[in-house]
Amino acid sequence: MADASKNPYLGLSGADIFDQALREEGVEVMFGYPGGAVLPIFDRLYDSPIRFILTRHEQGAAHMADGYARATGRCGVVLATSGPGACNLVTGLATACMDSIPVVAFTGQVRSFLIGNDAFQEADVTGVTRPITKHNVLVKDVRDLARTMHEAFHIARTGRPGPVVVDIAVDATMAKLEEDVSQEMDLPGYKPCLTGNPRQIRLAAEAINAAERPVLYVGGGVILSNAVTELRALIAKTRIPVTTTLLGLGAVDEDDELSLRMLGMHGSAAANYAVQDSDCLIAVGARFEDRVTCNVATFAPKARVIHIDIDPTSIGKNVEVDIPVVGDARDILAKLLEHAQPKDRSPWLAKIADWKKRFPFVYEATGRIRPQEVIERIGRMTDHNAIIATGVGQHQMWTAQFYRFRRPRQIITSGGLGTMGFGLPAAIGAKVACPDQTVIDIDGDGSFSMTMVELITAVQNDIAVKVVVLNNGYLGMVRQWQEMFYRRRYSSVTHPCPGFAGVAQAFGAVGMTITDRAELDDALAALLKAEGPAVLDVQVEPEENVYPMVPVGKSLHEMNLGRVV
Amino acid sequence: MAVLTESRAAVIQRHVIFALVQNKPGVLAHVAGMFAARGFNIDSLVVGRTESPDLSRMTIVVTADDRVLDQVRKQLAKIIEVVKVKDFMGLDYVERDLMLIRVNAPPAKRGEVTELVNLFRGRVVDVAPSSLLVELTGTEAKLESFIDLARPYGLVELARTGVIAVPRGKQKD
Ligand SMILES: Cc1ncc(C[n+]2csc(CCOP(=O)(O)OP(=O)(O)O)c2C)c(N)n1
Ligand SMILES: [Mg+2]
């Protein structure tokens, strides 16, 4: 008889091992949906201290795990059954993968001897999810279960984080572990590079110290690596102005005088002008994606480029880099802080202050309620400190422009994949993770419609998320493009919705609707005060557009500022 | 700052890349899927066992410019089951491709074809009334030139393993 003190799983069933391994990973909550191939696991969960949040759709579960992870930095965990259950996770996995979010998804698989036979509810889950996960693996044997689960968590949260799928044949969850197999991780090919090369860091520091017009370009990687303290210290010491991507929002306090706000297609004029004029662009945890660069050939034309990223494939993928530094942003920024020197760059800072003054984000607060003013009010009423989730579209860009984020992990939004329907379930996940914080989903009528069924999940589980639907009756972002580039031929973008307040009430949540500016403050106050989940449907100006906007193919500095003062 | 495609692009070269991978199900699909998803073209890909039962060896031939090659190497290394990646470009290495090729050789031509086979140090491994099956190993280039010379006789069937390669000894790893 083997020694159980050496192998804690000896004698346990696969389902027991599943529960125990999760608890060893510190998992407190899981999101998901049951089915035939995960029945043994659900039977075990009946007695487990792990909280299980039953959703209405597996996509919702995946986004909830994602929102949970974004709000905390911990792994979000999903459980779904084989075939249809697993396939419903696909959008959520791809969303997490594009934004490097640590999620571990467990899916049931048909009995191992049936795999490949088109058995009932069989899908080739590792095949389907391979390109949209950081890693995936099929477990057919109970002997591999615990080790594979621990490897999955390790891979999901280290290096450049990302989703990992563990597909488990149902018979492996029923079988008992009788053999004392090794529990050592077996990942000889997985060695994320964590510390930056000292020579590259010194070169980067020299370039920064020599620069007259440096700009920091900060992405979600800084938040993922918990490098915000180091980043802010570097900014304080060097007084280098900083712009962020959508996912980098909150890495700096947007009210800081050195904050240029967001850059890119709908970024601030100050950020875009500064990048185009910069002589040294310091990219940290960002990947020069096309919504940021717009026209990559003319992006930052005068700058030497320093690129700090943990993923070597990000470096040199879109733009040529002068000084690459591969490693964890936190480690590298801490070392850069030692070498980078303060320097008087008053002319550059004066130029930036001038751009900021001349080209703030603006809108006209006349006529019908403008979506931007709603977001501004939410910002003020929550002291710019709430966790804000969004859908995808105009409302998402306005949220980025008008909320004014202060701290990391505050904005929860699908950047890379741009997944409509992300907002509500992600907000639910964030609220589960941070029950003491105000969590608001600022959503579009189209996006909200896609996953609003999860409001039932919020009601059923007492998760007090707030939703503000900026209801323009349109798939607004698509409508804007049709207005600007397709001669106003509005093709399938009109989107009459049911009264969302009535829907919310039918689901058991608080529901309110307003159309008038005079009602706005009271309605928002009531929303924030409501005990449980609550929805405020704000009927806004239908044809408001997002500005500034860099038209497709143009350079950052050629942005259309809109009908600005 | 310059765009990659315009600055460094041009020089397209043939690279032999070696990848040591964990011997697990799905690894080949993962590697092949990555190549397809990222739009990299492969000339050949060979997988085989190695001295260790836990590891397989892939030899991949890619013809591309530096930028693509850089991505190929990095994207390969990023795959969790890929343990090691090496580009043999600039190294002294031995590469071999194995070919089985059936060439038309009616009795009147059999002598000529056999001579050609001998010149290439090939072996006739099967004789049929009007054709010969020839086994030939060598670099891709050598096999190509044999094919060119044998073509006029008529090629009946051809199978190649694709390139495998190993660096010569006494080099820094
Ligand atoms: C799942 C999905 N389908 C389609 C799109 C394309 N798309 C981007 S924005 C948008 C319209 C969004 O409408 P709404 O949620 O009402 O937001 P608005 O732009 O009106 O603020 C669409 C259809 C997408 N991003 N995601
Ligand atoms: Mg809309």
Side-chain angles (χ1 to χ4, degrees):
Chain A
M1 190 68 214
D3 181 5
S5 66
K6 255 171 61 201
N7 186 337
Y9 312 110
L10 215 52
L12 299 186
S13 74
D16 292 336
I17 292 172
F18 181 86
D19 177 59
Q20 182 160 331
L22 286 184
R23 286 190 277 140
E24 284 161 3
E25 290 293 339
V27 174
E28 288 164 6
V29 58
M30 228 186 321
F31 306 88
Y33 212 91
V38 280
L39 275 171
I41 290 178
F42 274 87
D43 185 62
R44 182 66 194 80
L45 291 178
Y46 188 81
D47 300 314
S48 173
I50 298 174
R51 182 179 178 197
F52 192 85
I53 294 185
L54 173 63
T55 64
R56 296 283 153 167
H57 191 294
E58 289 88 351
Q59 181 187 351
H63 291 327
M64 286 178 207
D66 179 322
Y68 179 95
R70 289 184 205 237
T72 57
R74 301 169 61 189
C75 273
V77 184
V78 197
L79 174 60
T81 193
S82 66
C87 288
N88 274 349
L89 295 178
V90 163
T91 307
L93 293 168
T95 304
C97 198
M98 284 293 261
D99 291 348
S100 310
I101 306 302
V103 167
V104 179
F106 296 99
T107 51
Q109 181 54 276
V110 300
R111 283 168 292 167
S112 52
F113 65 90
L114 286 175
I115 292 176
N117 287 6
D118 297 329
F120 178 61
Q121 296 198 323
E122 178 182 358
D124 174 8
V125 172
T126 47
V128 168
T129 61
R130 187 169 295 121
I132 51 166
T133 51
K134 180 173 178 185
H135 186 55
N136 69 23
V137 54
L138 168 65
V139 178
K140 291 203 276 192
D141 189 325
V142 68
R143 288 176 299 180
D144 298 325
L145 183 57
R147 178 182 45 80
T148 307
M149 287 177 68
H150 291 306
E151 287 172 354
F153 279 90
H154 175 68
I155 291 170
R157 70 177 150 234
T158 54
R160 178 177 178 176
V164 177
V165 169
V166 183
D167 193 30
I168 311 172
V170 62
D171 46 328
T173 63
M174 295 186 287
K176 253 196 185 154
L177 181 66
E178 314 272 17
E179 195 184 315
D180 185 10
V181 287
S182 164
Q183 296 302 318
E184 288 277 300
M185 285 203 278
D186 178 29
L187 299 169
Y190 183 64
K191 298 161 228 133
C193 169
L194 298 178
T195 54
N197 178 316
R199 206 181 123 253
Q200 292 300 100
I201 293 173
R202 248 193 335 272
L203 284 177
E206 281 164 19
I208 292 169
N209 292 340
E212 296 298 335
R213 300 184 310 281
V215 172
L216 273 155
Y217 150 43
V218 166
V222 166
I223 288 162
L224 294 168
S225 88
N226 295 314
V228 167
T229 309
E230 289 73 11
L231 174 74
R232 292 184 181 192
L234 182 70
I235 295 167
K237 180 175 179 187
T238 59
R239 310 277 306 145
I240 296 176
V242 53
T243 178
T244 74
T245 66
L246 179 64
L247 294 183
L249 285 171
V252 282
D253 184 335
E254 290 201 275
D255 280 332
D256 191 298
E257 62 173 317
L258 291 167
S259 166
L260 293 158
R261 321 284 310 276
M262 182 174 78
L263 83 166
M265 180 173 276
H266 293 299
S268 79
N272 288 348
Y273 289 150
V275 166
Q276 292 304 82
D277 206 24
S278 166
D279 65 350
C280 179
L281 188 69
I282 310 142
V284 194
R287 56 191 176 88
F288 297 85
E289 192 241 9
D290 50 280
R291 278 290 182 274
V292 163
T293 57
C294 293
N295 181 343
V296 74
T298 57
F299 180 74
K302 306 171 191 168
R304 293 192 76 192
V305 176
I306 299 166
H307 192 177
I308 298 168
D309 205 291
I310 196 159
D311 180 358
T313 69
S314 286
I315 293 179
K317 183 167 60 183
N318 296 322
V319 300
E320 193 162 358
V321 172
D322 297 293
I323 306 173
V325 194
V326 178
D328 182 47
R330 187 172 183 185
D331 170 77
I332 294 167
L333 288 175
K335 289 173 183 155
L336 212 46
L337 180 61
E338 293 169 27
H339 298 288
Q341 296 307 329
K343 178 166 175 167
D344 178 22
R345 299 185 179 99
S346 339
W348 179 229
L349 296 185
K351 203 167 180 183
I352 279 168
D354 179 54
W355 281 325
K356 283 181 68 170
K357 203 161 108 230
R358 275 164 52 209
F359 308 112
F361 292 121
V362 288
Y363 63 93
E364 241 174 273
T366 55
R368 302 188 60 168
I369 302 178
R370 305 289 172 138
Q372 301 95 322
E373 68 186 301
V374 180
I375 296 164
E376 258 183 0
R377 302 261 186 121
I378 297 172
R380 264 182 265 136
M381 292 177 80
T382 57
D383 198 21
H384 306 279
N385 206 24
I387 294 177
I388 304 290
T390 78
V392 170
Q394 293 181 310
H395 66 279
Q396 177 190 32
M397 292 298 106
W398 285 318
T399 301
Q401 293 178 339
F402 289 94
Y403 184 82
R404 292 186 169 266
F405 293 91
R406 294 192 155 178
R407 59 181 174 91
R409 305 198 179 282
Q410 207 186 343
I411 184 165
I412 301 207
T413 191
S414 166
L417 199 67
T419 307
M420 287 174 68
F422 178 76
L424 175 63
I428 291 173
K431 182 68 180 174
V432 168
C434 309
D436 301 331
Q437 294 190 44
T438 303
V439 179
I440 306 174
D441 169 33
I442 299 181
D443 223 331
D445 46 325
S447 298
F448 183 63
S449 298
M450 283 201 171
T451 53
M452 65 185 176
V453 70
E454 298 303 346
L455 202 54
I456 309 174
T457 308
V459 170
Q460 187 185 337
N461 292 280
D462 275 321
I463 303 162
V465 280
K466 314 295 173 189
V467 181
V468 176
V469 182
L470 296 174
N471 190 346
N472 51 16
Y474 277 118
L475 301 176
M477 186 58 96
V478 180
R479 184 206 57 73
Q480 176 171 345
W481 283 57
Q482 291 180 347
E483 176 188 330
M484 296 172 80
F485 310 118
Y486 293 89
R487 297 182 289 124
R488 278 190 99 87
R489 286 155 53 89
Y490 288 170
S491 180
S492 296
V493 290
T494 322
H495 196 247
C497 290
F500 290 122
V503 171
Q505 287 160 12
F507 286 175
V510 172
M512 299 172 281
T513 311
I514 58 166
T515 50
D516 223 323
R517 178 168 290 110
E519 305 166 289
L520 186 55
D521 280 346
D522 285 350
L524 283 174
L527 180 84
L528 294 173
K529 265 220 305 285
E531 289 242 318
V535 176
L536 174 61
D537 180 350
V538 185
Q539 309 274 319
V540 296
E541 164 59 43
E543 298 200 48
E544 188 75 19
N545 284 338
V546 182
Y547 289 111
M549 176 170 185
V550 181
V552 177
K554 296 281 185 183
S555 310
L556 277 190
H557 58 275
E558 297 172 304
M559 78 203 104
N560 179 348
L561 292 168
R563 22 157 206 149
V564 173
V565 274
Chain B
M1 200 194 61
V3 199
L4 289 162
T5 41
E6 283 170 22
S7 58
R8 269 196 288 169
V11 203
I12 293 178
Q13 280 177 291
R14 174 178 176 275
H15 293 246
V16 177
I17 295 173
F18 137 80
L20 203 60
V21 304
Q22 280 184 286
N23 188 5
K24 287 189 174 174
V27 179
L28 178 59
H30 204 152
V31 170
M34 182 279 287
F35 273 94
R38 306 236 167 230
F40 304 142
N41 273 318
I42 350 185
D43 298 344
S44 71
L45 188 159
V46 178
V47 199
R49 280 181 273 191
T50 61
E51 65 282 2
S52 153
D54 300 334
L55 297 171
S56 302
R57 185 177 177 112
M58 290 189 182
T59 310
I60 306 162
V61 180
V62 182
T63 307
D65 65 32
D66 281 357
R67 186 188 76 90
V68 172
L69 244 300
D70 183 54
Q71 277 295 307
V72 168
R73 282 188 298 260
K74 288 171 169 177
Q75 295 288 359
L76 266 176
K78 188 171 169 175
I79 295 172
I80 307 281
E81 300 99 335
V82 173
V83 177
K84 188 175 169 187
V85 176
K86 197 170 183 78
D87 186 342
F88 286 163
M89 179 59 88
L91 287 182
D92 193 7
Y93 62 93
V94 178
E95 72 167 77
R96 288 292 180 268
D97 196 351
L98 167 66
M99 171 165 72
L100 291 174
I101 179 169
R102 185 176 291 284
V103 184
N104 262 334
K109 296 279 179 189
R110 192 171 284 167
E112 275 177 48
V113 174
T114 312
E115 194 174 331
L116 185 63
V117 171
N118 289 338
L119 279 172
F120 277 78
R121 280 191 254 151
R123 286 204 302 148
V124 174
V125 290
D126 182 52
V127 182
S130 60
S131 70
L132 294 176
L133 182 61
V134 176
E135 173 194 314
L136 197 64
T137 55
T139 61
E140 273 187 332
K142 173 180 164 187
L143 302 198
E144 297 296 339
S145 61
F146 180 84
I147 293 169
D148 286 345
L149 292 167
R151 198 182 297 280
Y153 299 98
L155 306 182
V156 182
E157 199 174 357
L158 186 162
R160 286 169 70 168
T161 58
V163 169
I164 56 170
V166 171
R168 291 186 191 278
K170 291 208 200 95
Q171 291 189 58
K172 220 172 82 202
D173 198 18

